[in-house]
Amino acid sequence: MKLHEYQAKELLAGYGVPVPEAHVASSAAEAVDAAVRLGGRVVVKAQVHAGGRGKAGGVKVASEPAEAGTIAASLIGTTLVTFQTGPQGAPVHKVLVEQTVDIDRELYFSVITDGERRRPVVIVSSAGGMEIEEVARETPDRVLTEPIDPAIGLQPFQGRRLAEALELPASAVRPFVALAEACYKAFMDTDASMIEINPLVLTKDGRLLALDAKMSLDDDALFRHADAAALRDTAQEEPLEVEASEAGIAYVKLDGNVGCLVNGAGLAMATMDIVKSAGADPANFLDVGGGANEEKIATAILLMLSDASVERVLVNIFGGILRCDIAARGIVDAYAKADRRPPLVVRMLGTNADEGKQVLADSGLAIELVDTLREAAEAIAR
Ligand code: ADP
Ligand code: MG
């Protein structure tokens, strides 16, 4: 789950991370009011779950409150397209009105989970304000990655090593180490998967400030953070993905036209691979999980069919706890209710596979039954 910049900054400020003074606004009038309180000259920043706002016109300087209002009015209610949102963009419902900061240097700082190292890492770069992937590719010597042993946490010597890589003036070293420790603590406490401060700035008067903040929390740990639910902004998420997560279905929208319904994430990946190898493209990753019942299968199929880009459907079910006849009834139910019926290719194996195939055969629907992955791929390509 992603947080907005203003939410991440509030959270990090609670851990002692220095951030510029700012107020959230949902209307032009609120933005004017916020700018007055901040002394006039401000930066107005669109709040969307994506970076690249600066280049896309989502971060603008206002020299006086009325201008802050005009900028807020031009952003709120629109859709901001950045290189991270994809062409459909993300809706702007709020802006952050922030005091302007006199920047001396822009740095990069993040804490993320490194799957390969199986531990958190702190990453810094003296080349802040830019895409870190690009910096890592073109000037890898300007990026320092410090793996943290989760049993003992971020050690002071590591903080100093990071500060050195950033070539900070002596007076900023202690504040930097404190900031790094605060971010690491926030990361662990909230079960975050990422905290990214880009840029972390050194101001002209020698202070460190988090000028931007992006944060993602681990969805699988949200049950431990009842207060995190209030931070969720489903307007920023793919509507079908929101609906699916409410129904307990793992659904990820993709770009192709083959809807894939499977039970189990490994099977989902294998299924997407065979679709690809057959020269077609999956429209989604849809996993109903191990213990789905008839209703859940039907919900999943209807959800999939509500995506207009789905032109054919591949069902690949391995019957275990979920019996194939139950899956088959769910499919038939959903197709009976659906307002359109794209052709189906179904592969069923395992518990009650024969009963399941019989249910499908008796349904009178345009279903092609296949037994192997290869046949499934060939059928879907046809
Ligand atoms: P994004 O990463 O989405 O483009 P940022 O919050 O990083 O958005 O803002 C983009 C750039 O705008 C920053 O790199 C910085 O140069 C400038 N900027 C952002 N906030 C402020 C501020 N409060 N004062 C001065 N400049 C700012
Ligand atoms: Mg940024």
Side-chain angles (χ1 to χ4, degrees):
M1 181 182 104
K2 291 182 182 172
L3 303 191
H4 281 296
E5 174 193 12
Y6 78 91
Q7 296 169 327
K9 280 177 166 169
E10 265 170 32
L11 195 148
L12 292 174
Y15 281 85
V17 174
V19 298
E21 206 186 321
H23 304 288
V24 188
S26 307
S27 66
E30 283 177 24
V32 172
D33 189 47
V36 170
R37 284 193 276 162
L38 293 169
R41 200 177 146 76
V42 292
V43 179
V44 181
K45 311 176 76 175
Q47 297 299 291
V48 292
H49 283 180
R53 296 167 301 164
K55 283 185 194 140
V59 176
K60 288 185 176 142
V61 180
S63 45
E64 36 103 27
E67 195 184 352
T70 312
I71 296 171
S74 74
L75 289 171
I76 294 169
T78 64
T79 301
L80 187 70
V81 179
T82 84
F83 72 92
Q84 281 189 4
T85 59
Q88 79 286 355
V92 183
H93 294 303
K94 289 188 164 89
V95 294
L96 185 64
V97 181
E98 190 167 77
Q99 63 175 164
T100 48
V101 172
D102 285 330
I103 302 169
D104 179 20
R105 292 176 56 204
E106 298 202 0
L107 314 166
Y108 176 92
F109 176 95
S110 67
V111 189
I112 62 161
T113 305
D114 183 332
E116 244 162 66
R117 290 188 174 91
R118 300 182 215 167
R119 53 186 56 199
V121 294
V122 176
I123 302 174
V124 297
S125 172
S126 53
M130 300 187 241
E131 279 313 293
I132 193 66
E133 290 84 357
E134 199 179 315
V135 178
R137 205 168 40 239
E138 314 217 322
T139 47
D141 52 309
R142 294 190 73 184
V143 179
L144 176 69
T145 302
E146 191 70 40
I148 312 298
D149 182 337
I152 56 173
L154 176 69
Q155 296 296 297
F157 79 89
Q158 295 180 298
R160 289 192 295 274
R161 189 141 80 195
L162 291 160
E164 194 178 325
L166 292 173
E167 296 167 27
L168 292 177
S171 60
V173 172
R174 267 172 195 278
F176 172 80
V177 175
L179 178 143
E181 285 172 351
C183 287
Y184 181 75
K185 182 160 176 21
F187 180 87
M188 297 306 276
D189 282 359
T190 60
D191 287 308
S193 50
M194 179 192 76
I195 294 178
E196 185 182 64
I197 300 177
N198 188 22
L200 168 68
V201 298
L202 192 62
T203 62
K204 293 246 167 73
D205 55 1
R207 291 173 305 136
L208 279 173
L209 278 180
L211 215 60
D212 189 8
K214 292 192 170 33
M215 202 164 163
S216 299
L217 306 182
D218 184 342
D219 290 331
D220 289 328
L222 288 179
F223 73 96
R224 302 206 287 205
H225 305 281
D227 46 343
L231 301 175
R232 185 159 178 201
D233 180 0
T234 49
Q236 299 288 323
E237 300 174 17
E238 174 72 35
L240 284 182
E241 290 183 7
V242 175
E243 216 180 294
S245 86
E246 278 158 10
I249 297 163
Y251 172 91
V252 179
K253 167 110 183 78
L254 301 169
D255 298 329
N257 62 5
V258 181
C260 303
L261 181 113
V262 302
N263 59 331
L267 192 58
M269 288 194 268
T271 304
M272 292 194 297
D273 281 350
I274 61 152
V275 169
K276 275 279 190 191
S277 73
D281 286 305
N284 57 43
F285 172 113
L286 200 158
D287 172 14
V288 293
N293 56 20
E294 201 173 311
E295 289 77 41
K296 194 162 167 186
I297 302 276
T299 305
I301 296 265
L302 286 169
L303 202 101
M304 175 194 301
L305 295 181
S306 66
D307 174 357
S309 58
V310 172
E311 289 167 12
R312 9 182 200 167
V313 177
L314 173 58
V315 175
N316 193 2
I317 295 284
F318 191 86
I321 300 170
L322 165 64
R323 288 164 21 208
C324 289
D325 55 322
I326 298 204
R329 283 198 191 88
I331 296 168
V332 173
D333 272 7
Y335 261 65
K337 285 185 198 137
D339 47 15
R340 63 191 193 97
R341 298 180 177 79
L344 267 168
V345 174
V346 178
R347 174 184 183 242
M348 268 182 179
L349 278 183
T351 313
N352 290 6
D354 291 339
E355 289 86 337
K357 287 180 195 164
Q358 197 57 53
V359 169
L360 295 174
D362 293 344
S363 71
L365 293 168
I367 300 176
E368 186 165 351
L369 287 165
V370 297
D371 290 320
T372 65
L373 280 176
R374 180 188 294 273
E375 286 165 14
E378 284 165 4
I380 213 71
R382 268 202 305 279

